Amino acid sequence: AAAGREYREKYGAGPEVFAAISSKARKHAANNPFAIFKEPVSVEEVLASPMIADPLTRLQCCPPTCGAAAAVLCSPAFARRHKLDTRVSIAAQAMTTDREDSFADSPMRVIGYGMSREASKKVYDSTGIGPEDIDVVELHDCFTANELVSYEALGLTAEGTAEKFISDGDNTYGGKVVTNPSGGLLSKGHPLGATGLAQCAELVWQLRGEAGPRQVEGARHALQHNLGLGGACVVTLYSAA
């Protein structure tokens, strides 16, 4: 919440900007059989839900849930030998931990802005694939403020432009990059340890063209962003063969 207030004070983003993220998440979740909350909610309904901590209302906070996820990680040779699907590979992965500026007088830094920015830059630099090449993203939207801050930390939109990014629909189907097609943590739930693998599964399905009605058309590059305060951030770039 403090990070959301800091962003609001810096760039003038209104409460409806944050609420629009929850509304978008529900629209995406409607096509995900694994999501917990699939019912659509309007921006007005999100803003009318009980205030938890300004600017976050209840519908802008993810539900801590039970859940499980699994992934098989292997070499290309092993996959071929066992006739496994090899259409998706990890192009790059980077992990960062708390930086000195994580403890600066900036709630945005406290919730991982710096860690996310550094990890994504390492991934982009090592592959030559930039944020403009990413088709689909699963990012850590434990609260709407985190998603908004992460747009800029991951380079999906320039600093201070998240409000326009959202209002132009660049974070959803038909826009620049489809963000959290699964519905994200806000709709799918946040089973802590399983959350990262659930993101991985969603992106692999997207790059295989197996995501059904939530499929991002022509997806070739996918970015995963998962973090925990205390603190570590992992950014992974997946590519389709």
Side-chain angles (χ1 to χ4, degrees), residues 107-129:
M108 286 170 55
R109 296 282 176 178
V110 171
I111 68 165
Y113 181 93
M115 288 193 296
S116 300
R117 194 173 188 86
E118 182 183 3
S120 61
K121 185 177 187 302
K122 287 181 177 180
V123 164
Y124 298 143
D125 288 349
S126 67
T127 60
I129 296 169

Side-chain angles (χ1 to χ4, degrees), residues 96-151:
T96 53
T97 55
D98 280 323
R99 303 146 48 90
E100 185 175 348
D101 66 7
S102 297
F103 308 101
D105 185 20
S106 167
M108 286 170 55
R109 296 282 176 178
V110 171
I111 68 165
Y113 181 93
M115 288 193 296
S116 300
R117 194 173 188 86
E118 182 183 3
S120 61
K121 185 177 187 302
K122 287 181 177 180
V123 164
Y124 298 143
D125 288 349
S126 67
T127 60
I129 296 169
E132 68 280 357
D133 301 311
I134 303 299
D135 302 300
V136 56
V137 175
E138 283 282 316
L139 60 77
H140 198 89
D141 61 323
C142 48
F143 302 92
T144 55
N146 293 69
E147 177 161 337
L148 185 145
V149 168
S150 296
Y151 291 152

